[in-house]
Amino acid sequence: MRHGKKFNHLGRKTAHRKSMLANMACSLIEHKRINTTVAKAKALKQFVEPIITKSKEDTTHNRRIAMARLRQKEAVVELFRDVAVKVADRPGGYTRIIKLGSRAGDAADMAMIELVDYNELYNAGKATKKKSTRRSRRGGGSKAAAPAKTTEAKKEEE
């Protein structure tokens, strides 16, 4: 029975798989997008997203965790210096997988995995959305009352 066995072994032994994912993650951080098979892209997404989340808080402990996983100092430096700044306000979902079709040689399903914040084509058409605040129950005002004035309306009155 295969209860609880969820991740793809990718046809490799543990050490080979971990090394391959570490190398692919370093390439992704360096080049911001890489082409690979769909199965490897999905495995890489699960591998790299927790590391990017750790990079948002720059502590010695988080740097050591990232270094243990990635094994390349240059990748860790770029992750904490450049990538973490770009993804600071994003609550997850740092990578995107785009399927490309099949490879000519062996008909393997290919995909491009990229860091979401570095793709200018997808982000160009979208205006930066103002972050909305969360509503709480203890806030005043009933539904029947007049709507609260926005900051723009307050500025116009002054």
Side-chain angles (χ1 to χ4, degrees):
M1 288 184 277
R2 56 172 307 278
H3 296 302
K5 297 186 182 222
K6 293 187 177 182
F7 69 96
N8 191 347
H9 296 283
L10 301 172
R12 290 161 172 80
K13 304 236 179 198
T14 305
H16 185 185
R17 184 174 56 250
K18 287 181 180 177
S19 295
M20 182 189 66
L21 290 173
N23 288 333
M24 289 173 67
C26 292
S27 296
L28 180 65
I29 291 166
E30 181 185 351
H31 300 293
K32 310 307 183 240
R33 73 174 52 138
I34 57 172
N35 290 338
T36 183
T37 62
V38 173
K40 287 180 190 174
K42 288 178 180 179
L44 179 61
K45 183 174 185 136
Q46 289 180 344
F47 180 83
V48 79
E49 291 215 359
I51 299 170
I52 296 173
T53 302
K54 294 267 186 206
S55 74
K56 288 164 66 171
E57 186 180 350
D58 191 2
T59 62
T60 304
H61 182 62
N62 286 344
R63 280 185 179 264
R64 286 180 177 165
I65 290 172
M67 186 62 195
R69 303 275 200 289
L70 295 177
R71 306 174 187 174
Q72 289 183 19
K73 187 176 181 180
E74 297 81 19
V76 173
V77 168
E78 185 167 349
L79 175 67
F80 278 85
R81 188 183 59 220
D82 299 332
V83 176
V85 173
K86 269 230 170 168
V87 300
D89 58 342
R90 183 177 291 277
Y94 312 110
T95 58
R96 173 187 296 131
I97 296 175
I98 300 170
K99 295 184 180 178
L100 300 175
S102 49
R103 185 162 50 196
D106 58 355
D109 289 331
M110 297 299 289
M112 176 177 65
I113 182 167
E114 64 182 3
L115 295 175
V116 171
D117 292 310
Y118 283 90
N119 189 334
E120 291 80 23
L121 296 176
Y122 280 132
N123 297 336
K126 298 177 184 173
T128 55
K129 184 178 167 185
K130 184 181 174 189
K131 190 171 184 179
S132 62
T133 58
R134 299 181 83 184
R135 297 180 186 177
S136 65
R137 289 179 175 247
R138 55 189 180 137
S142 65
K143 292 183 179 179
K149 295 181 182 178
T150 61
T151 55
E152 295 171 349
K154 290 179 183 176
K155 289 180 183 176
E156 290 175 4
E157 287 181 358
E158 295 174 359

